[in-house]
Amino acid sequence: PQPFRFPSWNRRGWARAVRRIAQPFFLLPLTRIFARLRVEGLENLENLPGPAIVAPNHQSHLDVPAILSALPPRWRYRVAPAMSKEFFQAHFFPKQHSAGSVFTNSLNYYLSTLLFFAFPLPQREAGALDTLRYMGEMNSEGACILIFPEGKITTAGEINTFQPGVGMLAARLKTPVVPVKITGLNEVLPRGARMARRGRVTVKFGRPLLLNGSDYA
């Protein structure tokens, strides 16, 4: 593992302004063309006093845009999705990859961090304390961290075993967790597919949970 800087530039005013334009006028309408959304459970967010951790199941690369589309604006622009740092190997370790791979991977990284307020989350590297510190800092600024407890996309819509990261984060930060159940996106954009197809998708927000203790799994 090598030290790296978590993005802070995407928390600045100009970056927030870009998201306020790009998401409602381009990214989310494009998502709704393929995902005919049915949203349930928004009433569970009404009495939340502050930021929360959003914990959805992971069906597709469209999960984050679908959740953002389902949320009202007062919550939408606070969501900060965690994305696998290992997915951006060419960006973080350019010497191990070709120039073309580095350019494409870096472009995807910067677009994700800018347009979706995302940040890299190491899954197979050391640095848990630095990651927890960064997420705590964002949480204190009002951001709602979005983490997929399964850690990977499912193959047929099933829900896999949860990893302990969400439990650790919620217990350490004493922040409520909003569970989210997504159904149908595995048919709209299955794992490995190059193109989406239209389909019905349900995004259901559950009641916030307060997690305590150290048995994170």
Side-chain angles (χ1 to χ4, degrees), residues 38 45 102 106 110 113 147 160 165:
R38 176 181 177 182
L45 305 179
V102 172
S106 294
Y110 287 119
T113 52
I147 300 182
N160 292 321

Side-chain angles (χ1 to χ4, degrees), residues 15-80:
R16 296 178 186 274
V18 169
R19 284 192 291 275
R20 290 272 181 168
I21 296 173
Q23 287 189 11
F25 294 107
F26 175 66
L27 297 173
L28 302 187
L30 187 62
T31 301
R32 295 187 188 106
I33 291 176
F34 297 100
R36 289 175 286 177
L37 283 178
R38 176 181 177 182
V39 183
E40 300 178 7
L42 284 178
E43 66 276 5
N44 290 318
L45 305 179
E46 292 178 356
N47 297 321
L48 273 177
I53 297 169
V54 183
N57 59 314
H58 204 0
Q59 288 200 331
S60 166
H61 287 301
L62 284 179
D63 288 341
V64 169
I67 292 172
L68 295 180
S69 296
L71 285 170
R74 72 185 186 93
W75 287 106
R76 177 186 303 153
Y77 300 109
R78 299 168 67 182
V79 173

Side-chain angles (χ1 to χ4, degrees), residues 66-180:
I67 292 172
L68 295 180
S69 296
L71 285 170
R74 72 185 186 93
W75 287 106
R76 177 186 303 153
Y77 300 109
R78 299 168 67 182
V79 173
M83 54 186 180
S84 171
K85 179 175 180 281
E86 286 75 12
F87 184 79
F88 299 98
Q89 284 289 319
H91 170 74
F92 288 105
F93 303 101
K95 294 182 179 180
Q96 303 175 12
H97 300 271
S98 66
S101 296
V102 172
F103 174 80
T104 302
N105 199 242
S106 294
L107 180 62
N108 289 334
Y109 172 79
Y110 287 119
L111 287 176
S112 299
T113 52
L114 172 61
L115 300 179
F116 290 104
F117 198 25
F119 65 94
L121 178 67
Q123 292 182 304
R124 296 187 296 272
E125 296 181 9
L129 289 179
D130 290 339
T131 305
L132 185 65
R133 188 179 301 112
Y134 176 80
M135 290 190 286
E137 181 181 311
M138 294 188 68
N139 186 257
S140 66
E141 294 179 1
C144 296
I145 306 297
L146 186 154
I147 300 182
F148 295 102
E150 297 162 285
K152 61 181 180 180
I153 297 176
T154 58
T155 56
E158 76 281 5
I159 296 181
N160 292 321
T161 303
F162 286 4
Q163 303 301 311
V166 171
M168 180 183 71
L169 184 64
R172 294 282 187 92
L173 299 181
K174 301 188 183 305
T175 302
V177 177
V178 176
V180 183

